[in-house]
Amino acid sequence: MKTLIVDPAIHSRGGHHYAAIERLQAELARLGIEAPCLGSIAATPDVVRSLDCTATFTSPVYGRDYDGPREFQGRVDRTSRELTRALRELGTWPDILILPCCDQVLAASVARVLRRHPLKPPPRVLMWLLYGPHHQLAPDNPSAIAFHDEARRAFTSLLKALGGRRHLAAYSETEAMAAFYRGLLPFDVGVAPGAGIALPAAVEGSQPGTIDHPHLTIAGFANRAKGYRLLPEAIPRLLQRHATSCFTVHGIVAGSDAEDESWILDDLQTLGPRVDIRKGVLSDEAYVDLLSRTDLLLLPYDPESYRARGSAMSNEARRMGIPIVAPADCAFAWPAFEEGHGVAMSRYSPDGLAEATVDALGRLDALKAQASAVAVTSKDPLQDILEATVEAARARLQYGTADAVRRLLGTGL
């Protein structure tokens, strides 16, 4: 079973792109399937080695300036050309194509490549739609609406190039994002976390006791939308009000869109021994260790970017029984709010973060007990999704000739 993972954004260790591909490859290996990947032309040598990655693409979704139809078309031209060249060099045609972070540029590019080979059997496509049509804006933002039709046409062209809905499975990480895409696209979109780092299973009955010295954490790529700029004001206020609390602030600045804001971590480093600053990429083991020692996870993400989007760290907190603080308008946090293991920021500001965190610390034992109870019943659906994908790809072989005819005729949706 020839499987290929395609993510033009993967270029370095750390962050959800690397974790997703690493996890997908590990889970597929358990099924006896190798899954090399195509990544960014900027992929570092260690990424190329560890992920069996071919450095391919010159423009990930994050590089877009959304400057109208010509900019979109130029990116599709370039991405489809680079994908064609990579497939030719690999000398393979995939039975399964996995797109862990698919946008309309990638969808239109894959569609174009498939249309150039109408007699080849279409692959089974598994993809996650992590962002709206504008990756920096909520889908309902007036400035993003202009790109809805761009996305509709791109994903519809992919569906036609595949020859029908049965060759495609699509997911978003939140019900809000999935509902948006269901209303926009001619196929169903399910709700499932993106592939993420493998985590230890929660153990039933492992309820926490009283937490005397709470450990608060914020971690990840220090992109502007992650809210690190709230910390220099919020953390000193929290240190004054909760003398027993300590913080770990992990932020990968290099390669983020906020490299000019490294001063934030430098300022936090002056706050004393109760604030531990980490700037490098964490190994899987170090990351899991950090989460296992976290009593409260701070996710002060910008609601303008994250109103409908998911959060890998929120997914991981849920599976590990860690309560969270997040803005009230962020869809990824709504399940935690509803289930009683999340506290909402009513205002997106340093004061709003400090107030919500004070609230959480005041009832942390109860929040953590509820988070632990939810973690025991939470199941990561990735293995089931991959098994269904492999089964569907194998079943596809019997439809090969009929599908070729449908694709040539543009029917069969």
Side-chain angles (χ1 to χ4, degrees):
M1 185 70 62
K2 296 176 181 177
T3 300
L4 185 64
I5 302 171
V6 177
D7 185 353
I10 178 62
H11 66 282
S12 64
R13 287 181 178 270
H16 76 264
H17 291 277
Y18 186 90
I21 295 175
E22 185 179 49
R23 178 78 186 289
L24 286 165
Q25 290 177 335
E27 294 295 338
L28 288 165
R30 292 189 180 95
L31 300 175
I33 296 173
E34 294 183 356
C37 76
L38 304 180
S40 169
I41 195 70
T44 58
D46 60 329
V47 168
V48 169
R49 288 192 301 271
S50 61
L51 298 183
D52 191 8
C53 178
T54 300
T56 303
F57 302 102
T58 56
S59 56
V61 58
Y62 307 107
R64 287 200 67 182
D65 57 18
Y66 298 95
D67 189 25
R70 292 183 63 183
E71 180 262 353
F72 171 73
Q73 195 57 52
R75 285 182 174 271
V76 173
D77 292 344
R78 182 163 60 251
T79 301
S80 61
R81 185 167 58 247
E82 291 164 350
L83 177 57
T84 297
R85 182 167 59 246
L87 290 172
R88 184 169 58 246
E89 291 173 357
L90 288 174
T92 187
W93 184 259
D95 301 297
I96 297 172
L97 187 63
I98 301 179
L99 311 175
C101 182
C102 190
D103 72 324
Q104 58 262 35
V105 170
L106 185 55
S109 300
V110 171
R112 181 178 295 183
V113 172
L114 294 179
R115 286 197 301 270
R116 289 171 179 163
H117 302 278
L119 296 180
K120 289 184 181 291
R124 173 71 177 182
V125 170
L126 170 62
M127 63 182 177
W128 274 266
L129 308 176
L130 302 183
Y131 308 98
H134 191 303
H135 78 276
Q136 293 177 319
L137 301 174
D140 62 354
N141 185 295
S143 297
I145 292 173
F147 302 98
H148 289 192
D149 189 57
E150 180 183 274
R152 182 188 296 107
R153 287 184 284 106
F155 285 102
T156 299
S157 71
L158 175 59
L159 187 65
K160 290 180 178 179
L162 288 170
R165 294 182 182 91
R166 70 171 176 272
H167 295 310
L168 182 150
Y171 296 92
S172 288
E173 292 193 301
T174 69
E175 177 58 36
M177 188 66 79
F180 162 74
Y181 273 117
R182 288 184 202 121
L184 186 72
L185 307 180
F187 52 82
D188 189 36
V189 178
V191 180
I197 190 170
L199 297 172
V203 179
E204 189 169 4
S206 58
Q207 299 292 333
T210 300
I211 301 165
D212 296 322
H213 301 283
H215 180 195
L216 290 71
T217 296
I218 179 171
F221 265 94
N223 291 319
R224 297 183 195 280
K226 297 293 183 67
Y228 281 74
R229 68 184 181 277
L230 304 184
L231 302 181
E233 293 183 49
I235 289 181
R237 296 173 193 177
L238 291 166
L239 290 172
Q240 291 174 355
R241 298 184 64 172
H242 284 270
T244 62
S245 62
C246 60
F247 294 79
T248 295
V249 179
H250 167 256
I252 303 171
V253 176
S256 77
D257 64 5
E259 290 186 339
D260 60 337
E261 295 185 352
S262 59
W263 61 267
I264 292 175
L265 296 179
D266 295 337
D267 280 5
L268 294 173
Q269 207 151 17
T270 68
L271 294 178
R274 289 164 57 196
V275 182
D276 178 22
I277 304 299
R278 306 187 189 184
K279 300 180 181 180
V281 174
L282 298 177
S283 67
D284 290 354
E285 294 78 10
Y287 178 68
V288 172
D289 178 67
L290 175 59
L291 290 183
S292 69
R293 293 184 291 104
T294 295
D295 299 303
L296 183 64
L297 186 65
L298 306 183
L299 301 172
Y301 294 178
D302 181 0
E304 187 45 62
S305 295
Y306 278 88
R307 188 154 61 244
R309 275 173 57 180
S311 159
M313 291 207 68
S314 177
N315 298 334
E316 289 150 2
R318 180 183 181 83
R319 289 169 55 205
M320 292 191 70
I322 307 168
I324 66 170
V325 169
D329 292 333
C330 287
F332 68 77
W334 293 348
F337 300 155
E338 293 166 359
E339 295 164 349
H341 53 96
V343 176
M345 295 168 56
S346 59
R347 294 178 294 150
Y348 190 70
S349 66
D351 282 342
L353 174 58
E355 289 168 4
T357 304
V358 168
D359 179 8
L361 290 171
R363 49 194 176 99
L364 186 56
D365 294 343
L367 288 169
K368 194 152 190 190
Q370 181 61 18
S372 296
V374 169
V376 171
T377 61
S378 295
K379 184 179 185 297
D380 184 354
L382 182 62
Q383 188 175 25
D384 290 343
I385 289 172
L386 291 177
E387 288 176 357
T389 298
V390 171
E391 182 178 347
R394 287 178 174 147
R396 181 220 65 192
L397 298 176
Q398 64 183 298
Y399 299 114
T401 301
D403 279 333
V405 173
R406 289 192 188 97
R407 293 169 72 211
L408 284 168
L409 296 175
T411 62
L413 298 184

